[in-house]
Coordinates of all heavy atoms in Angstrom, one line a residue:
Chain B
T48 N 17.0 17.6 10.1 CA 16.3 16.5 10.8 C 17.1 16.2 12.1 O 18.3 16.0 12.0 CB 16.2 15.3 9.9 OG1 15.5 15.7 8.7 CG2 15.4 14.2 10.6
L49 N 16.4 16.0 13.2 CA 17.0 15.7 14.4 C 17.2 14.2 14.5 O 16.4 13.4 14.0 CB 16.2 16.2 15.6 CG 15.9 17.7 15.6 CD1 14.9 18.0 16.8 CD2 17.2 18.5 15.8
G50 N 18.3 13.8 15.2 CA 18.5 12.4 15.5 C 19.7 11.8 14.8 O 20.3 12.4 13.9
E51 N 20.0 10.5 15.1 CA 21.1 9.8 14.6 C 20.8 9.3 13.2 O 19.9 8.5 13.0 CB 21.5 8.6 15.5 CG 22.7 7.8 15.0 CD 22.8 6.5 15.7 OE1 22.2 6.3 16.8 OE2 23.5 5.6 15.2
R52 N 21.6 9.7 12.2 CA 21.4 9.2 10.8 C 21.7 7.8 10.7 O 22.8 7.4 11.1 CB 22.2 10.0 9.8 CG 22.0 11.5 9.8 CD 20.5 11.7 9.6 NE 20.2 13.2 9.8 CZ 20.1 14.0 8.8 NH1 20.2 13.6 7.5 NH2 19.8 15.3 9.0
I53 N 20.9 7.0 10.1 CA 21.2 5.6 9.8 C 20.7 5.2 8.4 O 19.9 5.9 7.8 CB 20.5 4.6 10.8 CG1 19.0 4.8 10.8 CG2 21.1 4.8 12.2 CD1 18.2 3.8 11.6
T54 N 21.3 4.2 7.9 CA 20.8 3.6 6.6 C 20.2 2.2 6.9 O 20.8 1.5 7.7 CB 22.0 3.4 5.7 OG1 22.6 4.7 5.5 CG2 21.6 2.9 4.4
L55 N 19.1 2.0 6.3 CA 18.5 0.6 6.4 C 18.6 0.0 5.1 O 18.2 0.6 4.1 CB 17.0 0.7 6.9 CG 16.7 1.5 8.1 CD1 15.2 1.5 8.4 CD2 17.4 0.9 9.3
R56 N 19.1 -1.2 5.0 CA 19.1 -1.9 3.7 C 19.0 -3.4 3.8 O 19.2 -3.9 4.9 CB 20.5 -1.6 3.0 CG 21.7 -2.0 3.8 CD 23.0 -1.9 3.0 NE 23.4 -0.5 2.8 CZ 23.6 0.1 1.6 NH1 23.4 -0.6 0.5 NH2 24.0 1.3 1.5
G57 N 18.5 -4.0 2.8 CA 18.4 -5.4 2.8 C 17.7 -5.9 1.5 O 17.5 -5.1 0.6
R58 N 17.4 -7.2 1.5 CA 16.7 -7.8 0.3 C 15.5 -8.6 0.8 O 15.4 -9.0 2.0 CB 17.7 -8.6 -0.5 CG 18.7 -7.8 -1.2 CD 19.6 -8.6 -2.2 NE 20.4 -9.6 -1.5 CZ 21.2 -10.5 -2.1 NH1 21.1 -10.6 -3.4 NH2 21.9 -11.3 -1.4
I59 N 14.6 -8.9 -0.1 CA 13.5 -9.7 0.2 C 13.6 -11.0 -0.6 O 13.7 -10.9 -1.8 CB 12.2 -8.9 -0.2 CG1 12.1 -7.6 0.5 CG2 10.9 -9.8 0.1 CD1 11.1 -6.6 -0.1
F60 N 13.5 -12.1 0.1 CA 13.7 -13.4 -0.6 C 12.4 -14.2 -0.7 O 11.6 -14.3 0.3 CB 14.8 -14.2 0.1 CG 16.1 -13.6 0.1 CD1 16.5 -12.7 1.1 CD2 17.0 -13.9 -0.9 CE1 17.8 -12.2 1.1 CE2 18.3 -13.3 -1.0 CZ 18.7 -12.4 0.1
D61 N 12.2 -14.9 -1.8 CA 11.1 -15.8 -1.9 C 11.4 -17.2 -1.4 O 12.5 -17.4 -0.8 CB 10.6 -15.8 -3.4 CG 11.5 -16.6 -4.3 OD1 12.4 -17.3 -3.9 OD2 11.3 -16.4 -5.6
G62 N 10.5 -18.1 -1.5 CA 10.7 -19.4 -0.9 C 11.7 -20.3 -1.5 O 12.1 -21.3 -0.9
T63 N 12.3 -19.8 -2.6 CA 13.4 -20.6 -3.2 C 14.7 -19.9 -2.9 O 15.8 -20.4 -3.4 CB 13.3 -20.6 -4.8 OG1 13.6 -19.3 -5.3 CG2 11.9 -21.0 -5.2
G64 N 14.7 -18.8 -2.2 CA 15.9 -18.1 -1.8 C 16.3 -17.0 -2.9 O 17.4 -16.5 -2.8
T65 N 15.4 -16.8 -3.8 CA 15.7 -15.8 -4.9 C 15.2 -14.4 -4.4 O 14.1 -14.3 -3.9 CB 15.0 -16.2 -6.1 OG1 15.3 -17.5 -6.5 CG2 15.3 -15.2 -7.3
P66 N 16.1 -13.4 -4.6 CA 15.6 -12.0 -4.2 C 14.5 -11.5 -5.1 O 14.6 -11.7 -6.3 CB 16.9 -11.2 -4.2 CG 17.9 -11.9 -5.0 CD 17.5 -13.4 -5.0
L67 N 13.6 -10.8 -4.5 CA 12.5 -10.1 -5.3 C 13.1 -8.8 -5.9 O 13.7 -8.0 -5.2 CB 11.3 -9.7 -4.5 CG 10.2 -10.8 -4.3 CD1 10.8 -12.1 -3.6 CD2 9.1 -10.2 -3.5
R68 N 13.0 -8.7 -7.2 CA 13.6 -7.5 -7.9 C 12.4 -6.6 -8.4 O 12.7 -5.7 -9.1 CB 14.5 -7.9 -9.0 CG 15.7 -8.7 -8.5 CD 16.6 -9.2 -9.6 NE 15.8 -10.1 -10.5 CZ 16.1 -10.4 -11.8 NH1 17.2 -9.8 -12.3 NH2 15.4 -11.2 -12.5
D69 N 11.2 -6.9 -7.9 CA 10.1 -6.1 -8.4 C 9.2 -5.8 -7.2 O 8.0 -5.5 -7.4 CB 9.3 -6.8 -9.5 CG 8.9 -8.3 -9.0 OD1 9.0 -8.6 -7.9 OD2 8.4 -9.0 -9.9
A70 N 9.7 -5.7 -6.0 CA 8.9 -5.4 -4.8 C 9.0 -3.9 -4.5 O 9.8 -3.2 -5.0 CB 9.4 -6.2 -3.6
L71 N 8.0 -3.5 -3.7 CA 8.0 -2.1 -3.2 C 7.9 -2.2 -1.7 O 7.0 -2.9 -1.2 CB 6.8 -1.4 -3.8 CG 6.7 0.1 -3.4 CD1 7.7 0.9 -4.3 CD2 5.3 0.7 -3.6
V72 N 8.8 -1.4 -1.0 CA 8.8 -1.4 0.5 C 8.4 0.0 0.9 O 8.9 1.0 0.4 CB 10.2 -1.8 1.0 CG1 10.1 -1.9 2.5 CG2 10.7 -3.1 0.4
E73 N 7.5 0.1 1.9 CA 7.3 1.3 2.6 C 7.6 1.2 4.0 O 7.3 0.1 4.6 CB 5.8 1.8 2.4 CG 5.5 2.2 0.9 CD 4.1 2.7 0.8 OE1 3.3 2.8 1.7 OE2 3.7 2.9 -0.4
I74 N 8.1 2.2 4.6 CA 8.4 2.2 6.1 C 7.7 3.4 6.7 O 7.4 4.4 6.1 CB 9.9 2.2 6.4 CG1 10.6 3.5 6.0 CG2 10.6 1.0 5.8 CD1 12.0 3.6 6.5
W75 N 7.4 3.2 8.0 CA 6.7 4.2 8.8 C 7.3 4.1 10.2 O 7.4 3.0 10.8 CB 5.2 3.9 8.9 CG 4.4 4.8 9.8 CD1 3.6 4.4 10.8 CD2 4.2 6.2 9.7 NE1 3.0 5.5 11.4 CE2 3.4 6.6 10.7 CE3 4.7 7.2 8.8 CZ2 3.0 7.9 11.0 CZ3 4.4 8.5 9.1 CH2 3.5 8.9 10.1
Q76 N 7.8 5.2 10.7 CA 8.5 5.2 12.0 C 8.3 6.5 12.7 O 8.0 7.6 12.1 CB 10.0 4.9 11.8 CG 10.7 6.0 11.0 CD 12.2 5.9 11.0 OE1 12.8 5.3 10.2 NE2 12.8 6.5 12.1
A77 N 8.6 6.5 14.0 CA 8.6 7.7 14.8 C 9.9 8.5 14.6 O 10.9 8.0 14.1 CB 8.5 7.3 16.3
D78 N 9.9 9.8 15.0 CA 11.0 10.6 15.0 C 12.0 10.3 16.1 O 11.7 9.3 16.9 CB 10.7 12.1 14.9 CG 10.1 12.6 16.2 OD1 10.1 11.9 17.2 OD2 9.6 13.8 16.2
A79 N 13.0 11.1 16.3 CA 14.1 10.7 17.3 C 13.5 10.8 18.7 O 14.0 10.1 19.6 CB 15.2 11.7 17.2
A80 N 12.4 11.6 18.9 CA 11.8 11.7 20.2 C 10.7 10.7 20.4 O 10.0 10.7 21.4 CB 11.3 13.2 20.4
G81 N 10.4 9.9 19.4 CA 9.4 8.9 19.6 C 8.0 9.4 19.2 O 7.0 8.8 19.6
L82 N 7.9 10.5 18.4 CA 6.6 11.0 18.0 C 6.4 10.8 16.5 O 7.4 10.8 15.7 CB 6.6 12.5 18.2 CG 6.6 13.0 19.7 CD1 6.8 14.5 19.8 CD2 5.3 12.6 20.4
Y83 N 5.2 10.5 16.1 CA 4.8 10.2 14.7 C 4.3 11.5 14.0 O 3.6 12.3 14.6 CB 3.7 9.2 14.6 CG 4.3 7.8 14.8 CD1 4.1 7.1 16.0 CD2 4.9 7.1 13.8 CE1 4.6 5.8 16.2 CE2 5.4 5.8 14.0 CZ 5.3 5.2 15.2 OH 5.7 3.9 15.3
N84 N 4.8 11.7 12.8 CA 4.4 12.8 12.0 C 3.0 12.5 11.4 O 2.9 12.3 10.2 CB 5.4 13.1 11.0 CG 5.2 14.5 10.3 OD1 4.1 15.1 10.4 ND2 6.3 15.0 9.7
S85 N 2.0 12.5 12.2 CA 0.6 12.1 11.8 C -0.4 12.9 12.5 O -0.2 13.3 13.7 CB 0.4 10.6 12.2 OG -0.9 10.3 12.2
P86 N -1.6 13.3 11.9 CA -2.6 14.0 12.6 C -3.2 13.2 13.8 O -3.7 13.8 14.7 CB -3.7 14.1 11.5 CG -3.0 14.0 10.2 CD -1.9 13.0 10.5
S87 N -3.0 11.9 13.8 CA -3.5 11.1 14.9 C -2.5 11.1 16.1 O -2.8 10.4 17.1 CB -3.7 9.7 14.5 OG -4.7 9.6 13.5
E88 N -1.4 11.7 16.0 CA -0.4 11.8 17.1 C -0.8 12.9 18.1 O -0.8 14.1 17.7 CB 1.0 12.2 16.5 CG 2.1 12.4 17.5 CD 2.3 11.2 18.4 OE1 3.0 10.3 18.1 OE2 1.7 11.2 19.6
M89 N -1.3 12.5 19.3 CA -1.8 13.5 20.2 C -0.9 13.8 21.4 O -1.2 14.6 22.2 CB -3.1 12.9 20.8 CG -4.2 12.4 19.8 SD -4.6 13.7 18.6 CE -5.7 14.7 19.5
R90 N 0.3 13.2 21.3 CA 1.2 13.4 22.5 C 2.2 14.6 22.3 O 2.9 14.9 23.2 CB 2.1 12.1 22.7 CG 1.3 10.9 23.0 CD 2.2 9.6 22.9 NE 2.7 9.5 21.5 CZ 3.8 9.0 21.2 NH1 4.6 8.5 22.1 NH2 4.2 8.9 19.9
G91 N 2.2 15.2 21.2 CA 3.1 16.3 20.9 C 3.2 16.5 19.4 O 2.5 15.8 18.6
T92 N 4.1 17.3 19.0 CA 4.3 17.6 17.6 C 5.7 17.0 17.2 O 6.7 17.3 17.7 CB 4.3 19.1 17.3 OG1 3.1 19.6 17.8 CG2 4.4 19.4 15.8
A93 N 5.6 16.2 16.1 CA 6.8 15.5 15.7 C 7.7 16.5 14.9 O 7.3 17.6 14.5 CB 6.4 14.4 14.7
D94 N 9.0 16.1 14.8 CA 10.0 16.9 14.1 C 9.5 17.2 12.6 O 9.2 16.3 11.8 CB 11.2 16.0 14.0 CG 12.4 16.7 13.3 OD1 12.2 17.9 12.7 OD2 13.5 16.2 13.2
A95 N 9.3 18.5 12.4 CA 8.7 18.9 11.0 C 9.7 18.6 9.9 O 9.3 18.6 8.7 CB 8.4 20.4 11.1
N96 N 10.9 18.3 10.2 CA 11.9 18.0 9.2 C 12.1 16.5 9.0 O 13.1 16.1 8.4 CB 13.3 18.7 9.5 CG 13.2 20.2 9.5 OD1 12.9 20.7 8.4 ND2 13.4 20.8 10.6
F97 N 11.2 15.7 9.5 CA 11.2 14.3 9.3 C 9.8 13.8 8.9 O 8.9 14.0 9.6 CB 11.7 13.6 10.6 CG 11.8 12.1 10.4 CD1 12.7 11.6 9.5 CD2 11.1 11.3 11.2 CE1 12.8 10.2 9.4 CE2 11.2 9.9 11.1 CZ 12.1 9.4 10.2
T98 N 9.7 13.1 7.7 CA 8.4 12.7 7.3 C 7.9 11.5 8.1 O 6.7 11.3 8.2 CB 8.5 12.3 5.8 OG1 9.3 11.1 5.6 CG2 9.0 13.4 4.9
G99 N 8.8 10.6 8.5 CA 8.4 9.4 9.2 C 8.1 8.3 8.2 O 7.9 7.1 8.6
W100 N 7.8 8.6 6.9 CA 7.4 7.7 5.9 C 8.3 7.7 4.7 O 8.7 8.7 4.3 CB 6.0 8.0 5.5 CG 5.5 7.1 4.4 CD1 5.0 5.9 4.5 CD2 5.4 7.4 3.0 NE1 4.6 5.4 3.2 CE2 4.9 6.3 2.3 CE3 5.8 8.5 2.2 CZ2 4.8 6.3 0.9 CZ3 5.7 8.5 0.8 CH2 5.1 7.4 0.2
G101 N 8.7 6.5 4.3 CA 9.5 6.4 3.1 C 9.0 5.2 2.2 O 8.3 4.3 2.7
R102 N 9.4 5.3 1.0 CA 9.0 4.3 0.0 C 10.3 4.0 -0.9 O 10.9 4.9 -1.4 CB 7.9 4.8 -0.9 CG 7.5 4.0 -2.1 CD 6.5 4.7 -2.9 NE 5.1 4.5 -2.4 CZ 4.1 5.1 -2.9 NH1 4.2 6.1 -3.8 NH2 2.9 4.9 -2.4
C103 N 10.5 2.7 -1.1 CA 11.7 2.3 -1.9 C 11.4 1.1 -2.7 O 11.0 0.0 -2.1 CB 12.9 2.1 -1.1 SG 14.4 1.8 -2.0
P104 N 11.5 1.1 -4.0 CA 11.4 -0.1 -4.8 C 12.7 -0.9 -4.7 O 13.8 -0.3 -4.5 CB 11.3 0.4 -6.3 CG 11.9 1.7 -6.3 CD 11.8 2.3 -4.9
T105 N 12.7 -2.2 -4.7 CA 13.9 -3.0 -4.7 C 14.6 -2.9 -6.0 O 13.9 -2.8 -7.1 CB 13.6 -4.5 -4.4 OG1 12.7 -5.0 -5.3 CG2 13.0 -4.7 -3.0
D106 N 15.9 -2.9 -6.0 CA 16.7 -2.6 -7.2 C 16.4 -3.7 -8.3 O 16.2 -4.9 -7.9 CB 18.2 -2.7 -6.9 CG 19.0 -2.3 -8.1 OD1 19.4 -3.2 -8.8 OD2 19.3 -1.1 -8.2
M107 N 16.2 -3.3 -9.5 CA 15.8 -4.2 -10.6 C 16.8 -5.2 -10.9 O 16.5 -6.3 -11.5 CB 15.4 -3.4 -11.8 CG 14.1 -2.7 -11.7 SD 13.5 -2.0 -13.3 CE 12.4 -0.8 -12.8
E108 N 18.1 -5.0 -10.5 CA 19.2 -6.0 -10.7 C 19.5 -6.8 -9.4 O 19.5 -8.0 -9.4 CB 20.4 -5.3 -11.2 CG 20.2 -4.5 -12.5 CD 19.7 -5.3 -13.6 OE1 20.0 -6.5 -13.7 OE2 18.9 -4.8 -14.4
T109 N 19.8 -6.0 -8.3 CA 20.3 -6.7 -7.1 C 19.2 -7.1 -6.1 O 19.4 -7.9 -5.3 CB 21.2 -5.8 -6.4 OG1 20.5 -4.6 -5.9 CG2 22.4 -5.3 -7.3
G110 N 18.0 -6.4 -6.2 CA 16.9 -6.7 -5.3 C 17.1 -5.9 -4.0 O 16.3 -6.1 -3.1
E111 N 18.1 -5.0 -3.9 CA 18.3 -4.4 -2.6 C 17.4 -3.1 -2.5 O 17.1 -2.4 -3.4 CB 19.7 -3.9 -2.5 CG 20.0 -3.4 -1.1 CD 21.5 -3.1 -0.9 OE1 22.1 -2.3 -1.6 OE2 22.1 -3.7 0.1
Y112 N 16.9 -2.9 -1.2 CA 16.2 -1.7 -0.9 C 17.1 -0.9 0.1 O 17.9 -1.5 0.8 CB 14.8 -1.9 -0.3 CG 14.9 -2.5 1.1 CD1 15.0 -1.7 2.3 CD2 14.8 -3.9 1.4 CE1 15.1 -2.2 3.5 CE2 14.9 -4.4 2.6 CZ 15.1 -3.6 3.7 OH 15.2 -4.1 5.0
V113 N 17.0 0.4 0.0 CA 17.8 1.3 0.9 C 17.0 2.5 1.4 O 16.3 3.1 0.6 CB 19.0 1.8 0.1 CG1 19.9 2.7 1.1 CG2 19.8 0.7 -0.5
F114 N 17.0 2.7 2.7 CA 16.4 3.9 3.2 C 17.4 4.7 4.0 O 18.1 4.2 4.8 CB 15.2 3.6 4.2 CG 14.0 3.0 3.5 CD1 13.9 1.6 3.5 CD2 13.1 3.8 2.9 CE1 12.7 1.0 2.9 CE2 12.0 3.2 2.3 CZ 11.8 1.8 2.3
E115 N 17.5 6.0 3.7 CA 18.3 6.9 4.6 C 17.3 7.6 5.5 O 16.4 8.3 5.2 CB 18.9 8.0 3.7 CG 19.9 7.5 2.6 CD 21.1 6.7 3.2 OE1 21.4 6.9 4.4 OE2 21.6 5.9 2.5
T116 N 17.5 7.3 6.8 CA 16.5 7.7 7.8 C 17.3 8.0 9.1 O 18.5 8.3 9.1 CB 15.4 6.7 8.0 OG1 14.5 7.1 8.9 CG2 15.9 5.3 8.4
I117 N 16.5 8.0 10.2 CA 17.1 8.3 11.6 C 16.7 7.1 12.5 O 15.7 6.5 12.2 CB 16.7 9.6 12.2 CG1 15.1 9.7 12.1 CG2 17.3 10.8 11.4 CD1 14.6 10.2 13.4

Side-chain angles (χ1 to χ4, degrees):
Chain B
T48 305
L49 302 174
E51 179 194 344
R52 300 305 172 99
I53 58 171
T54 302
L55 306 178
R56 59 170 75 233
R58 291 188 292 174
I59 302 166
F60 295 91
D61 71 16
T63 74
T65 305
L67 273 61
R68 297 177 299 157
D69 54 9
L71 185 77
V72 185
E73 291 184 4
I74 64 173
W75 174 240
Q76 65 166 94
D78 69 7
L82 293 170
Y83 282 103
N84 194 341
S85 163
S87 298
E88 174 59 84
M89 307 307 281
R90 298 168 299 149
T92 303
D94 181 356
N96 292 299
F97 182 60
T98 64
W100 175 78
R102 170 186 277 171
C103 184
T105 57
D106 186 272
M107 288 190 200
E108 303 303 325
T109 65
E111 191 174 55
Y112 71 83
V113 183
F114 291 98
E115 300 297 337
T116 182
I117 53 134

